C-alpha cells in the first residue's frame, strides 16, 4: 500500500524532518554505499532561495547529510533549468544564485546535459523521451521537489518536478507540441512514469503561492512531504493543503491512467490544517465556482474559455529587455524591438515558459477575449 508522510519543520531544524521522511519509508533499506544517487532538485531558474522558487539548499544539504550518514559515497545534484538558462555555461551561475555552491564539498553539481532516449510504456501516447543521462544512469533517483503554485499546472509538486529531466531546448518544444494543458499534463505523467523516481521528498517549508512558478509570493508553511509514489503524493499534498485536486491537471491525468490508488496510509503530522487557504494563480482561480452549480458553470466556462478566451503574457514596465523570454519562447511569439518586447498573440500557445524564465517579474498572465475562434 502506498504511504504518504508529512512532517512539520523549519529550515533551521530541517535535518530532523529529513530523517523522519526517509525513515518513514525505510529508504535506507533500498540504498547501498556503492550506489550513485541523484538528487533531482528544482533549479528552474537562477533565483536566490529567499524567493522560494527553487528547492532550498538547506533542504538539499539535509538530504545529502542523511545519505552520507548511511554510507552513500557518490551523490550528484541535477536539474535542467528552463529556456535560455539551458545554455551550459550558465549552469554554474544557476547553482551560485540558488545558493548551491557550498554543497560542492559534499556532492557533485551536474553540468552535463547529455541525453539518452528512454522508451515509454507501449500504451503511452509518447513513445520515448530524451532525458539527461545523469538521471538515466543513476542507481537511485531522489525527486527533491519545491512545492509552488503554477500558472499552467496549478501546482508544481512530484510529477511536474520531473520535467526538469528533459534536456536543453527540448523542454519548450513540449509546450509547442502539447498546447492543451490536459495533453501537456498527460505528457508529464508519462514522463514521470518513464523516469520512475525512487523517492519523492517535498520542500514545502517556504512555498510560493499566487502567480507561481516564479512570480508569486513567498509563504511560510513549515511542511515537508514524502512518498515512494510520485503520483499519489501530489494528491495527498493537495488534500492536506485544501487545494481541490480536480483543479490540478497532472492529478487528473494520473487518475485517468489509474496511477493513483484510493487505498493508502498516511504518517506524521497529518492533523495539519493551513491557517488560511493557499492562494492559487489568478488564471486558475478564475475558473473557481461554488459547488452548487459547478458542473454547469464548468461546462459553460470551458466552452467560453476554449472558444473565446485566451491566457497570454503581458510584459510590464519592469522589463529590462534581457531577452530570456524571447530565447525561450517555443512558438517564436516574442520579439525584441528597439524599445520593448513585442508579443504576437496569434502565435502564443499559452505555455508560460516566458514567465518561468523572466528574472524581473515583468510578465503578467492575463485573460483576453479572442477576436475569433482559433
Ligand atoms: S519580460 Fe522578462 S525575460 Fe522578457 S525581456 Fe523582459 S525582463 Fe527579460
Ligand atoms: S509568449 Fe510566453 S506563453 Fe506565449 S508561447 Fe511564448 S513562451 Fe509561451
Amino acid at each position: 500500500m502506498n504511504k504518504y508522510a508529512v512532517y512539520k519543520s523549519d529550515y533551521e531544524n530541517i535535518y530532523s524532518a529529513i530523517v523522519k521522511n526517509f525513515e518513514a519509508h525505510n529508504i535506507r533499506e533500498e540504498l547501498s554505499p556503492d550506489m550513485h544517487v541523484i538528487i533531482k532538485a528544482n533549479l528552474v531558474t537562477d533565483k536566490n532561495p529567499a524567493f522560494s522558487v527553487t528547492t532550498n539548499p538547506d533542504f538539499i544539504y539535509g538530504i545529502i547529510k542523511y545519505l552520507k550518514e548511511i554510507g552513500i559515497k557518490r551523490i550528484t545534484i541535477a536539474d535542467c533549468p528552463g529556456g535560455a538558462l539551458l545554455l551550459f555555461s550558465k549552469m554554474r551561475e544557476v547553482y551560485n544564485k540558488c545558493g548551491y555552491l557550498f554543497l560542492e564539498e559534499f556532492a557533485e553539481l551536474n553540468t552535463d546535459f547529455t541525453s539518452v532516449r528512454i522508451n515509454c510504456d507501449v500504451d503511452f501516447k509518447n513513445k520515448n523521451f530524451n532525458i539527461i543521462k545523469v538521471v538515466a544512469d543513476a542507481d537511485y533517483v531522489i525527486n527533491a521537489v519545491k512545492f509552488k503554485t503554477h500558472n499552467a499546472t496549478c501546482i508544481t509538486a512530484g510529477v511536474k518536478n520531473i520535467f526538469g529531466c528533459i534536456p536543453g531546448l527540448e523542454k519548450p518544444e513540449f509546450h509547442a507540441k502539447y498546447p492543451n494543458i490536459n495533453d501537456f499534463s498527460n505528457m508529464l505523467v508519462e514522463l514521470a512514469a518513464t523516469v520512475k523516481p525512487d523517492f519523492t521528498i517535498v520542500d514545502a517549508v517556504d512555498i510560493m503561492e499566487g502567480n507561481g512558478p516564479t512570480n508569486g509570493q513567498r509563504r511560510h508553511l513549515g511542511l515537508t512531504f514524502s512518498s515512494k509514489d510520485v503520483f499519489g503524493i501530489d494528491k495527498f499534498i493537495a488534500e492536506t493543503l485544501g487545494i481541490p485536486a480536480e483543479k490540478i491537471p497532472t492529478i487528473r491525468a494520473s487518475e485517468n491512467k489509474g496511477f493513483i490508488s484510493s487505498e493508502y496510509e498516511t504518517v506524521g503530522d497529518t492533523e495539519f490544517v493551513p491557517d488560511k487557504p493557499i492562494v492559487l494563480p489568478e488564471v486558475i482561480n478564475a475558473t473557481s465556482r461554488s459547488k452548487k452549480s459547478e458542473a454547469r458553470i464548468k461546462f459553460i466556462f470551458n466552452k467560453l474559455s476554449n472558444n473565446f478566451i485566451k491566457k497570454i503574457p503581458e510584459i510590464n514596465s519592469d522589463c529590462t529587455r534581457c531577452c530570456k523570454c524571447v530565447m525561450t519562447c517555443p512558438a517564436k511569439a516574442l520579439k525584441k524591438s528597439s524599445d520593448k518586447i513585442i508579443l504576437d498573440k496569434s502565435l502564443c500557445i499559452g505555455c508560460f515558459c516566458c514567465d518561468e524564465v523572466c528574472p524581473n517579474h515583468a510578465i503578467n498572465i492575463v485573460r483576453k477575449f479572442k477576436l475569433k475562434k482559433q
Side-chain angles (χ1 to χ4, degrees):
M1 188 187 298
N2 289 328
K3 186 194 272 187
Y4 308 118
V6 53
Y7 294 103
K8 294 179 190 168
S9 184
D10 291 323
Y11 290 123
E12 293 71 42
N13 52 17
I14 193 69
Y15 185 61
S16 149
I18 296 282
V19 172
K20 285 186 207 163
N21 277 291
F22 273 80
E23 300 289 311
H25 308 281
N26 288 324
I27 299 301
R28 70 166 68 221
E29 301 296 319
E30 299 179 358
L31 293 166
S32 57
D34 54 333
M35 282 181 162
H36 182 195
V37 177
I38 298 295
I39 302 174
K40 193 316 191 169
N42 184 333
L43 294 166
V44 64
T45 190
D46 50 350
K47 289 263 191 189
N48 184 291
F51 287 100
S52 289
V53 171
T54 49
T55 316
N56 189 284
D58 292 336
F59 186 86
I60 298 292
Y61 175 68
I63 296 173
I64 294 170
K65 187 176 171 191
Y66 179 80
L67 293 174
K68 290 279 181 196
E69 286 195 1
I70 62 170
I72 305 301
K73 295 190 195 76
R74 188 167 179 213
I75 304 164
T76 301
I77 299 167
D79 192 20
C80 208
L85 290 168
L86 302 176
L87 302 173
F88 298 167
S89 58
K90 296 275 172 67
M91 193 58 210
R92 209 159 162 81
E93 190 50 23
V94 173
Y95 284 124
N96 182 25
K97 287 243 180 82
C98 295
Y100 276 48
L101 286 187
F102 83 99
L103 298 171
E104 213 166 18
E105 194 181 325
F106 317 101
E108 296 166 41
L109 303 182
N110 181 61
T111 52
D112 177 8
F113 299 108
T114 314
S115 66
V116 291
R117 183 162 293 192
I118 308 286
N119 289 331
C120 299
D121 188 292
V122 287
D123 295 333
F124 286 1
K125 189 169 177 185
N126 294 274
K127 297 293 163 243
N128 48 56
F129 290 105
N130 290 335
I131 67 167
I132 50 176
K133 193 167 180 304
V134 70
V135 171
D137 289 350
D139 297 310
Y140 200 90
V141 176
I142 296 174
N143 186 24
V145 176
K146 181 64 164 181
F147 177 81
K148 302 179 284 183
T149 52
H150 194 288
N151 270 319
T153 54
C154 188
I155 63 166
T156 290
V159 166
K160 178 71 168 62
N161 196 48
I162 297 299
F163 195 40
C165 297
I166 297 284
L169 294 166
E170 280 185 39
K171 215 179 316 198
E173 287 173 15
F174 280 97
H175 290 284
K177 187 175 176 188
Y178 297 118
N180 177 287
I181 191 60
N182 293 324
D183 295 336
F184 184 73
S185 297
N186 179 68
M187 178 279 296
L188 290 174
V189 168
E190 293 188 353
L191 174 65
T194 305
V195 172
K196 296 190 187 80
D198 297 280
F199 182 50
T200 293
I201 182 162
V202 181
D203 168 12
V205 177
D206 284 348
I207 67 162
M208 173 173 283
E209 64 177 2
N211 294 321
T214 54
N215 293 320
Q217 293 79 46
R218 175 183 173 171
R219 171 168 166 189
H220 181 71
L221 201 60
L223 288 183
T224 60
F225 294 89
S226 60
S227 180
K228 292 186 201 173
D229 169 23
V230 67
F231 306 104
I233 192 170
D234 288 5
K235 190 168 182 184
F236 174 64
I237 293 170
E239 286 173 349
T240 303
L241 302 184
I243 303 171
E246 64 273 14
K247 278 183 181 278
I248 302 167
T250 47
I251 293 179
R252 295 199 302 265
S254 297
E255 286 184 325
N256 287 342
K257 285 186 170 326
F259 288 175
I260 297 182
S261 169
S262 56
E263 289 185 14
Y264 57 86
E265 178 190 352
T266 61
V267 293
D269 298 316
T270 52
E271 80 294 344
F272 176 89
V273 177
D275 54 352
K276 54 186 179 185
I278 305 296
V279 180
L280 298 181
E282 285 160 29
V283 288
I284 301 282
N285 254 342
T287 64
S288 303
R289 297 294 185 273
S290 70
K291 278 261 179 205
K292 203 173 160 193
S293 53
E294 196 172 279
R296 181 162 174 74
I297 292 175
K298 207 162 145 188
F299 175 79
I300 295 168
F301 178 84
N302 284 342
K303 279 277 178 207
L304 282 171
S305 185
N306 290 339
N307 293 332
F308 302 112
I309 298 171
K310 186 172 183 175
K311 292 187 277 185
I312 57 165
E314 209 167 62
I315 316 288
N316 65 40
S317 58
D318 291 331
C319 176
T320 57
R321 292 194 297 137
C322 69
C323 279
K324 283 182 177 170
C325 58
V326 177
M327 288 187 276
T328 300
C329 177
K332 310 271 180 274
L334 293 164
K335 286 197 173 53
K336 185 184 184 185
S337 76
S338 56
D339 62 344
K340 61 182 174 187
I341 303 296
I342 298 170
L343 170 71
D344 183 337
K345 290 180 199 154
S346 66
L347 294 179
C348 178
I349 56 169
C351 64
F352 311 131
C353 290
C354 49
D355 182 37
E356 212 161 80
V357 298
C358 177
N360 298 319
H361 294 208
I363 294 179
N364 304 325
I365 306 298
V366 297
R367 286 173 176 268
K368 294 275 184 196
F369 277 102
K370 296 177 192 173
L371 291 179
K372 59 183 179 189
K373 186 174 171 179
Q374 291 171 356

